[in-house]
């Protein structure tokens, strides 16, 4: 084989490698933009539905697409295409209205036109109390081994969606609120960990979330690892991965 033939073969191999890499990146970008995007949970505001260290897939097509569906909001258009409104009870990822560089995940509680209020920890939608029943406590164990029991409640929304919430006290700062009227085209979002969630109850931080800001609906947990353990530390997985949470639907 001549030197020139050997060079052509190497160049051809490099070209094929680059082509495969580019195709893989384009496919990943298409999937991430239009189908599913992975997110991880950095805070405990959705306990115990979502825990710190959970990794989940969000369906990007559930509510249609806005400029926030694209990486870094690079596609400049307003509104949504193929739009579908979030349903009450959905766990959804959205861009924080006061800082769209930040992604938030909360539960949809109020729809456009609803009146929302919290009284002694009970959510009222259009003047009617959301059904709330005390169930078994949520048990937290700290790194030092200290055990804390947190009161847990099962809520059932008017459309039948049921989920669990945590509420340490009915006299917390956000357990008794003003009456909120959700504007048209907006939604009222709340975290399941009611005493430790900055959500639509705090108008200066989150407030009412425009439909345009929604990125997608949380669908399934594909990985979960204990608090403070980096996912890349594969050698710790046997005892740090929460195996029972993998595959959990949301």
């Amino acid at each position: 084989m001549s030197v020139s033939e050997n060079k052509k073969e190497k160049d051809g191999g490099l070209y094929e490698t680059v082509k495969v890499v580019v195709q893989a990146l384009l496919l990943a970008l298409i999937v991430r933009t239009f189908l599913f995007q992975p997110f991880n949970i950095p805070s405990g505001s959705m306990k115990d539905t979502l825990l710190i260290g959970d990794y989940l897939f969000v369906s990007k097509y559930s509510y249609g697409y806005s400029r926030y569906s694209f990486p870094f909001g690079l596609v400049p258009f307003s509104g949504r295409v193929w739009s579908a409104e979030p349903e009450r009870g959905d766990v959804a990822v959205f861009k924080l209205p006061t800082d769209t560089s930040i992604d938030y995940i909360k539960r949809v509680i109020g729809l456009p036109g609803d009146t929302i209020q919290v009284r002694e920890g009970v959510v009222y939608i259009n003047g009617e109390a959301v059904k709330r029943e005390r169930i078994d406590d949520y048990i937290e164990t700290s790194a030092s081994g200290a055990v804390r029991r947190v009161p847990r409640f099962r809520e059932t929304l008017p459309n039948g969606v049921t989920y669990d919430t945590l509420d340490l006290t009915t006299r917390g700062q956000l357990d008794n609120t003003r009456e909120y009227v959700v504007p048209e085209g907006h939604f009222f979002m709340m975290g399941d960990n009611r005493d430790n969630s900055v959500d639509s109850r705090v108008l200066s931080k989150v407030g009412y979330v425009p439909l345009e800001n929604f990125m997608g609906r949380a669908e399934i947990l594909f990985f979960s690892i204990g608090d403070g353990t980096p996912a890349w530390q594969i050698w710790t997985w046997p005892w740090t991965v929460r195996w029972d949470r993998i595959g959990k639907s949301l």
Side-chain angles (χ1 to χ4, degrees), residues 228-242:
T229 306
W232 55 266
Q233 292 184 359
I234 298 175
W235 58 89
T236 69
W237 284 9
W239 58 89
T240 58
V241 170
R242 303 183 187 109

Side-chain angles (χ1 to χ4, degrees), residues 2-247:
S2 68
V3 174
S4 61
E5 288 175 341
N6 189 41
K7 184 177 185 302
K8 286 180 181 178
E9 187 174 305
K10 287 182 178 179
D11 289 345
L14 178 61
Y15 169 76
E16 288 300 321
T17 300
V18 171
K19 185 172 75 171
V20 168
V21 170
V22 170
Q23 289 174 341
L25 290 174
L26 286 174
L27 179 60
L29 181 62
I30 290 170
V31 170
R32 182 186 183 278
T33 301
F34 295 103
L35 299 177
F36 295 97
Q37 182 172 346
F39 287 89
N40 73 291
I41 303 303
S43 76
S45 69
M46 283 293 292
K47 283 184 178 178
D48 66 329
T49 304
L50 295 171
L51 304 179
I52 297 172
D54 280 349
Y55 290 75
L56 54 90
F57 281 123
V58 167
S59 60
K60 302 293 289 292
Y61 52 82
S62 295
Y63 309 132
Y65 304 95
S66 74
R67 64 190 177 101
Y68 297 119
S69 302
F70 298 87
F72 311 110
L74 291 177
V75 180
F77 69 95
S78 61
R80 300 190 80 87
V81 295
W82 300 308
S83 179
E85 290 198 351
E87 296 182 3
R88 206 188 304 274
D90 284 358
V91 177
V93 173
F94 58 93
K95 291 291 186 181
L96 184 64
T98 55
D99 184 352
T100 55
S101 68
I102 299 175
D103 300 333
Y104 259 43
I105 183 167
K106 306 290 180 187
R107 190 179 298 276
V108 179
I109 297 296
L111 305 180
D114 281 346
T115 298
I116 308 292
Q117 189 174 24
V118 183
R119 306 178 209 158
E120 296 184 349
V122 178
V123 178
Y124 285 77
I125 301 176
N126 298 323
E128 297 291 328
V130 170
K131 181 182 177 183
R132 187 180 194 237
E133 57 180 320
R134 179 74 179 266
I135 57 175
D136 58 305
D137 289 346
Y138 176 68
I139 299 174
E140 290 185 316
T141 304
S142 69
S144 63
V147 174
R148 183 176 72 155
R149 304 183 73 92
V150 182
R152 180 160 48 182
F153 299 84
R154 181 153 295 156
E155 288 186 355
T156 303
L157 293 173
N159 61 348
V161 174
T162 299
Y163 52 90
D164 296 343
T165 65
L166 305 184
D167 200 1
L168 275 170
T169 174
T170 59
R171 296 183 299 276
Q173 183 178 1
L174 297 175
D175 280 323
N176 291 280
T177 71
R178 53 166 284 183
E179 192 174 79
Y180 305 93
V181 179
V182 186
E184 286 302 315
H186 292 70
F187 296 81
F188 196 90
M189 313 295 291
M190 292 180 67
D192 291 348
N193 191 358
R194 293 293 164 76
D195 291 322
N196 292 283
S197 175
V198 177
D199 49 41
S200 290
R201 292 173 291 177
V202 185
L203 294 178
S204 61
K205 292 285 188 179
V206 182
Y208 310 112
V209 179
L211 176 59
E212 182 181 23
N213 286 45
F214 280 81
M215 299 176 66
R217 184 177 63 211
E219 299 289 352
I220 190 170
L221 298 180
F222 66 87
F223 190 68
S224 182
I225 194 164
D227 294 8
T229 306
W232 55 266
Q233 292 184 359
I234 298 175
W235 58 89
T236 69
W237 284 9
W239 58 89
T240 58
V241 170
R242 303 183 187 109
W243 300 101
D244 60 320
R245 293 185 65 77
I246 296 176

